[in-house]
Amino acid sequence: MTSFDTPENAGHGALLTIDLDALVANWRMLRQRAGTEASAVVKANAYGIGIEPAVTALAKAGCKTFFVAHLSEAVRARAVAPEAAIYVLNGLFPESCAAFAEHELSPVLGSHAELLEWAGFRQSGARVRPAALHVDTAMNRLGLWPGEGLDLAREKSGVIAAAGIGLVMSHFAASEVADDPANARQVAAFAEIAAAFPGVPASLLNSSGHFLPGCPSYQLTRPGYALYGGNPTPGKPNPMRPVVGLEARVIQLREVEAGTQVGYNGTWTAKSRRRLATICLGYADGYPRNASWTDRSPGGSALVGGVRCPFVGTVSMDLIIVDVSDAPADAAMRGAPVTLIGGELDLEAVGAGARTIGYEILTSLGRRHVRRYLGL
Ligand SMILES: *Cc1c(COP(=O)(O)O)cnc(C)c1O
């Protein structure tokens, strides 16, 4: 029996399995490790796995705080988590205050313009949840300069009080590289900021931050990638449970002789007699075209009967060709599923095969797959 045997799955070429029990177990593990309250970062449709099922499962497990990137994502999270604190990392656009009030959302404020706008909105009598203040300690991307944050904290009566700040936060630039000296600099800069806002909860740790030695957890953590099974300690064994699995079916098999060119533009040439399988998944399903395997550069692979088999030629829109010469014959069969994500093909391995990172593999997971949720 293959996973494609049920009537609902039969019309689809690829099956994405999402294990919500593993998601919850990963969240609990990180919370335990940090020894403080853990939020969940669920931006980008919960890193591709589906914001509604992810937020529902985590809220049921006791997660009380969520972070998203956009207001639109926050509205979706609010629909399934009526009580939770929901922070919008991208903050306020001009005139979006009313929508924050309507859905009881919290902006992450990272500039004077946003602080003033939010403070003015509160002073006009609007009832809103506390906002967060983002201080940029390395990235030069979003947030106040550390010096600006310290100045504002010292002017006690000013805009900070008017804006109703309930959380002060910063974000690591390189926490997955444990020995990057930027980490210690950020930890020190943030310690100063957190101390300047006594009584205001603080938040620094993303997924990899949980594994940095000597880094305080503060009052709230913000894991994303590791919740979804990504390895927060690249190069070391992955402490997280896998959440996502992806399989696609074999459509056709063929034998090719040495010298045969395969795929668009004939970018791959068989060096000997090979057995090839064409599977029904391609870049339109979110699998990167950069995973193409040509005569000049290696690319991605699939697990066929547990054997790692390289792609050959370019990844097409709807199809990938796989060299199944080394796979067991009973696994490389018409209609059989092969594994694109799962087992040794974890998110890091898939990312490496496509010259990108596991984060991008996750957040590109296609909408054409049938999705099967375990632990709903
Ligand atoms: C995305 C994001 C996170 C989560 O980071 P991970 O590396 O996925 O754990 C935390 N904080 C901020 C500000 C983010 O943008």
Side-chain angles (χ1 to χ4, degrees):
M1 146 126 187
T2 75
S3 342
F4 291 95
D5 285 350
T6 63
E8 331 61 280
N9 295 355
H12 295 266
L15 174 70
L16 187 66
T17 304
I18 293 155
D19 184 346
L20 296 172
D21 290 333
L23 171 74
V24 166
N26 287 339
W27 179 76
R28 291 204 170 108
M29 188 274 237
L30 292 171
R31 180 181 60 170
Q32 170 99 22
R33 198 181 159 87
T36 194
E37 191 193 333
S39 74
V41 180
V42 294
K43 61 194 179 189
N45 198 28
Y47 288 50
I49 76 161
I51 192 166
E52 287 85 3
V55 169
T56 302
L58 290 164
K60 199 168 142 211
C63 182
K64 296 185 167 58
T65 307
F66 296 90
F67 286 84
V68 295
H70 297 280
L71 183 59
S72 59
E73 297 172 334
V75 171
R76 285 175 63 189
R78 172 59 76 221
V80 291
E83 306 291 329
I86 302 174
Y87 288 93
V88 177
L89 290 164
N90 289 356
L92 288 179
F93 281 116
E95 313 308 331
S96 62
C97 290
F100 278 84
E102 184 191 340
H103 300 284
E104 297 180 59
L105 305 171
S106 300
V108 177
L109 306 171
S111 67
H112 284 278
E114 286 173 285
L115 272 166
L116 286 170
E117 198 162 304
W118 187 249
F121 185 60
R122 285 183 84 235
Q123 282 164 336
S124 74
R127 282 174 45 105
V128 289
R129 295 214 186 197
L133 182 70
H134 192 174
V135 178
D136 191 330
T137 51
M139 295 263 261
N140 291 301
R141 191 178 68 166
L142 275 184
L144 297 169
W145 300 108
E148 291 178 306
L150 293 174
D151 287 349
L152 285 172
R154 286 183 198 116
E155 307 163 10
K156 292 255 183 290
S157 59
V159 67
I160 292 291
I165 298 300
L167 183 74
V168 56
M169 56 173 272
S170 191
H171 187 45
F172 278 117
S175 55
E176 79 286 5
V177 186
D179 58 0
D180 190 315
N183 294 321
R185 283 200 297 272
Q186 285 194 264
V187 168
F190 190 67
E192 221 184 321
I193 296 288
F197 291 89
V200 179
S203 174
L204 179 60
L205 304 190
N206 67 339
S207 296
S208 295
H210 288 73
F211 298 86
L212 281 179
C215 181
S217 299
Y218 292 104
Q219 287 73 41
L220 183 71
T221 63
R222 302 190 314 275
Y225 187 52
L227 296 177
Y228 309 102
N231 188 353
T233 58
K236 294 198 190 145
N238 189 349
M240 313 313 298
R241 272 175 59 179
V243 172
V244 171
L246 179 62
E247 297 166 287
R249 302 181 85 176
V250 174
I251 309 172
Q252 274 200 13
L253 290 136
R254 71 186 65 225
E255 307 268 337
V256 298
E257 300 301 332
T260 308
Q261 291 188 334
V262 176
Y264 280 120
N265 307 104
T267 56
W268 183 88
T269 315
K271 294 198 177 63
S272 58
R273 191 179 165 83
R274 308 306 294 169
R275 185 168 162 78
L276 305 182
T278 303
I279 64 171
C280 47
L281 178 119
Y283 62 76
D285 300 287
Y287 203 102
R289 189 169 175 279
N290 256 343
S292 297
W293 192 309
T294 71
D295 292 334
R296 291 195 187 159
S297 59
S301 44
L303 291 178
V304 185
V307 175
R308 193 157 168 171
C309 295
F311 294 172
V312 305
T314 50
V315 170
S316 308
M317 187 185 293
D318 316 299
L319 302 167
I320 297 175
I321 308 161
V322 183
D323 182 344
V324 295
S325 309
D326 297 331
D330 63 346
M333 276 192 349
R334 177 170 167 253
V338 306
T339 299
L340 280 307
I341 302 175
E344 69 175 88
L345 284 179
D346 59 12
L347 293 168
E348 282 64 44
V350 176
R355 290 175 277 276
T356 182
I357 56 174
Y359 285 73
E360 191 176 358
I361 299 298
L362 260 185
T363 54
S364 305
L365 289 171
R367 281 166 296 172
R368 192 157 57 163
H369 315 310
V370 62
R371 286 174 175 234
R372 176 177 60 171
Y373 287 93
L374 308 179
L376 260 184

